[in-house]
């Protein structure tokens, strides 16, 4: 679906003529004209008229063959959020259905939130709730995000990374769960381009190098398959399956493989007329070439949760290279490309039973949303949703042969609560494939599980909250403690909060006023103070969370008083024309008999521009002049002029912390350590980590003599391949 072409409104509406009626086209033209007038005089970051964005969104929805109301909502999706137009006006001008779809994708812009993160989480919660009512909401949102990703180059780098991260965390997995692979792949590839451009373009270049050779090889394979299918009169459409950059990147990262070790770079897709033909073709493929053990998957007999169906097999091809083959029917191919959108594709007079069947396939999504209802805030809602909705899935069998789908990493407790809350509460053990296992056993696809229960069970343990992976199981466990032990939990929760208040050095009576408790309980969405303390008692929320909210005003007041006390402290009398030298190698102008020390927050070294700060009882602390701790207006009264000694001892060394970022590959840390060693620099501390995008971050403390020495070390590290940046840290 990747498309750099900017469509005009006329092109979008003409594309819609291939499957819509004349009256539908008039409806779309009205929606476009309404949006054009509403967005008049508005422009995007690229400098283009704003209306170009809604046109492209509508164009993507037309490519998915969606119904007139959805496409109209695509044209209108930003008018309520970005203009003075109201939902009532949209409902009057078009219909309630279009207004509902527009409302579903409209952000909560007029409500005040404490942080951008909270606002974003609330926007996502609103979108998912609207999606549960009508799946077309998310189709519009995916089209909106897809065009925004195509035009991301016009935004600042920080926004590019934030939006790309959000796309990989929420929108691409959502497109996958809804089976819309055409959108999913483009979202993932584009996000990778902004999050890890070095790896993205490295893979692109590696793919280009042998593209001609691969295409020739695949064509040779397809010709042989055509000949064999012709012998048995099976009609099929064959094509080379393009491999997407992000999927290659993920395999390199997750499986720690080099590009040359990725098996399915060579792939053929075969589309036939019937399911019977699918299995016949599979037999012919396995007759031609030897299948690789463990690489056959039958998604026809057992479709994926997103309704995807296909046969997958990997064989050793004619030249000895692994070759992946996918076999499916035309209908399966439509669903593989467009997923849920294929069911919403506009067909006049679509049978009611077909729509009803489709609605049944979405019950899993509505159930997940119901399980989120106990989330105390939007951030918790989104974290739970990411686990339940976007995790890889495992398929577990009941003793009767029914298939239950659970997020990867689930344990028998999750399975028990998925069956019924009473079974979960009475669970005492589990058997997997006939053998007893512990309750922390990680379920695997194909496991046959039997839950052992007892009438005399005392119910779940608090430890189960740590073992359970799904929000459904966690919520059911919390509900059990909430109902069964409320009085005990209220008392326990109040004790924990009082203890935490004392730990923070506050007076319990001053904090736990009726008015303050009521205010905080309402902030956490509890009906009363008992429910809040009970939630602390059964680990629904922590005592620290509640205490921080209860004491926020008192903490602010205490900090202000402390700040006034600090500023009121008398500054020692200054004596002109005196100098005080200390081992720090710094000269303090005009003050005698004061301790001088180098601040650890910015670790100044000879050659840095520095300034002194008179502290309470600890003399003068020396900072870099750009240190955040001395650039505030409140600090001005306590600043004093300092300078480096002209004859700083060459033997003296200063501690500096640096952060090194780069592509995480084998041997990178060793090369960095060796490079620093070559500059004859002592390393006093080193630590490192790697994220899921294969980005390595190394923190290093080094002993250096001056700024020139530090620059020499930085320049040497930057010479190492796959190092992207080196920066000096401040705390």
């Amino acid at each position: 679906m990747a498309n750099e072409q900017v469509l005009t409104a006329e092109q979008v509406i003409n594309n819609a003529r291939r499957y819509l009626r004349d009256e539908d086209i008039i409806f779309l033209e009205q929606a476009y004209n309404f949006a054009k007038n509403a967005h008049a005089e508005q422009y995007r970051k690229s400098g283009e008229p704003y209306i170009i964005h809604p046109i492209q969104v509508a164009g993507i929805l037309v490519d998915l063959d969606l119904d007139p109301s959805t496409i109209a909502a695509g044209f209108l999706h930003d008018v309520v959020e970005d203009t003075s137009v109201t939902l009532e006006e949209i409902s009057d001008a078009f219909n309630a259905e279009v207004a509902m779809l527009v409302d579903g994708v409209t952000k909560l812009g007029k409500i005040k939130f404490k942080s951008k993160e909270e606002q974003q989480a609330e926007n996502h919660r609103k979108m998912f709730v609207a999606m549960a009512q009508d799946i077309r909401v998310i189709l519009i949102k995916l089209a909106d995000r897809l065009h925004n990703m195509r035009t991301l180059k016009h935004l600042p780098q920080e926004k590019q990374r934030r939006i790309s991260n959000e796309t990989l965390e929420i929108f691409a997995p959502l497109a996958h769960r809804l089976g819309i692979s055409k959108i999913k792949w483009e979202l993932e590839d584009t996000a990778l381009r902004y999050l890890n451009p070095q790896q993205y373009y490295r893979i692109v270049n590696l793919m280009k190098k042998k593209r001609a050779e691969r295409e020739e090889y695949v064509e040779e394979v397809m010709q042989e398959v055509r000949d064999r299918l012709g012998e048995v009169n099976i009609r099929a459409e064959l094509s080379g399956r393009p491999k997407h950059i992000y999927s290659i990147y993920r395999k390199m990262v997750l499986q720690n493989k080099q590009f040359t070790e990725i098996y399915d770079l060579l792939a053929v897709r075969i589309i036939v007329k019937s399911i019977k033909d699918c299995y016949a073709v599979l037999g012919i493929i396995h007759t031609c070439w030897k299948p690789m053990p463990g690489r056959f998957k039958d998604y026809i007999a057992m479709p994926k949760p997103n309704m995807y169906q296909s046969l997958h097999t990997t064989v050793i091809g004619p030249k000895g290279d692994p070759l992946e083959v996918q076999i499916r029917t035309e209908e399966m191919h439509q669903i593989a490309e467009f997923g849920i959108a294929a069911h919403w594709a506009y067909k006049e007079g679509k049978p009611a039973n077909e729509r009803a069947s489709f609605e049944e396939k979405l019950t899993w999504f509505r159930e997940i949303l119901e399980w989120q209802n106990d989330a105390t805030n939007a951030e918790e809602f989104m974290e739970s949703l990411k686990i339940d909705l976007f995790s890889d899935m495992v398929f577990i069998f009941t003793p009767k042969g029914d298939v239950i789908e659970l997020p990867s990493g689930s344990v028998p407790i999750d399975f028990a609560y998925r069956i019924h809350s009473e079974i979960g509460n009475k669970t005492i053990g589990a058997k997997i494939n006939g053998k007893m296992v512990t309750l922390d056993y990680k379920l695997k696809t194909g496991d046959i599980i039997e839950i052992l229960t007892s009438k005399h069970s005392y119910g779940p343990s608090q430890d189960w909250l740590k073992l359970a992976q799904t929000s459904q199981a966690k919520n059911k466990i919390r509900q059990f403690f909430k109902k069964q032990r409320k009085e005990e939990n209220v008392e326990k929760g109040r004790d924990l909060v009082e203890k935490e208040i004392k730990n923070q050095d506050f007076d319990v009576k001053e904090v736990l006023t009726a008015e303050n408790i009521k205010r905080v309980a309402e902030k956490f969405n509890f009906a009363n103070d008992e429910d809040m303390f009970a939630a602390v008692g059964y680990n629904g929320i922590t005592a620290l969370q509640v205490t921080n909210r209860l004491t926020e005003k008192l903490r602010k007041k205490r900090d202000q008083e402390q700040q006034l006390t600090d500023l009121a402290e008398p500054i020692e009398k200054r004596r002109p024309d005196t100098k005080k030298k200390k081992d720090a190698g710094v000269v303090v102008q005009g003050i005698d008999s004061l301790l001088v020390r180098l601040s650890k927050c910015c670790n100044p070294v000879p050659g840095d521009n520095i300034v002194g700060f008179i502290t309470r009882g600890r003399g003068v602390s020396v900072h870099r002049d750009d240190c955040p701790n001395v650039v505030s207006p409140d600090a001005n009264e306590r600043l004093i002029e300092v300078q480096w000694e002209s004859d700083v001892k060459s033997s003296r060394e200063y501690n500096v912390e640096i952060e090194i970022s780069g592509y995480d590959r084998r041997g990178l840390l060793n090369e960095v350590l060796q490079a620093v060693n070559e500059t004859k620099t002592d390393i006093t501390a080193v630590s490192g980590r790697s994220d899921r995008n294969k980005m390595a971050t190394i923190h290093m403390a080094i002993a250096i003599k001056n700024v020139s020495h530090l620059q020499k070390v930085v320049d040497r590290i930057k010479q190492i391949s796959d190092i992207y940046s080196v920066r000096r840290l401040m705390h």
Side-chain angles (χ1 to χ4, degrees), residues 567-598:
L567 290 173
E569 279 291 315
I571 297 177
E572 288 82 352
K573 291 181 180 179
R574 303 185 179 190
R575 299 179 186 176
D577 304 324
T578 61
K579 296 183 178 181
K580 181 68 184 175
K581 295 184 180 181
K582 290 293 173 186
D583 289 341
V586 173
V587 175
V588 181
Q589 297 290 345
I591 297 183
D592 195 16
S593 303
L594 271 183
L595 176 67
V596 179
R597 62 187 181 84
L598 298 179

Side-chain angles (χ1 to χ4, degrees), residues 665-685:
R665 58 171 170 77
R666 191 173 297 168
L668 181 69
L669 179 59
N670 285 338
E671 286 185 38
V672 170
L673 296 175
Q674 187 178 343
V676 176
N677 189 47
E678 286 174 10
T679 64
K680 298 181 180 176
T681 302
D682 290 335
I683 300 171
T684 57

Side-chain angles (χ1 to χ4, degrees), residues 19 64-67 340-347 350 355:
Y19 69 95
L64 296 174
D65 285 5
L66 292 176
D67 61 291
I340 237 153
H343 289 270
W344 267 109
Y346 182 71
K347 292 172 190 168
K350 180 179 281 192
R355 278 285 167 92

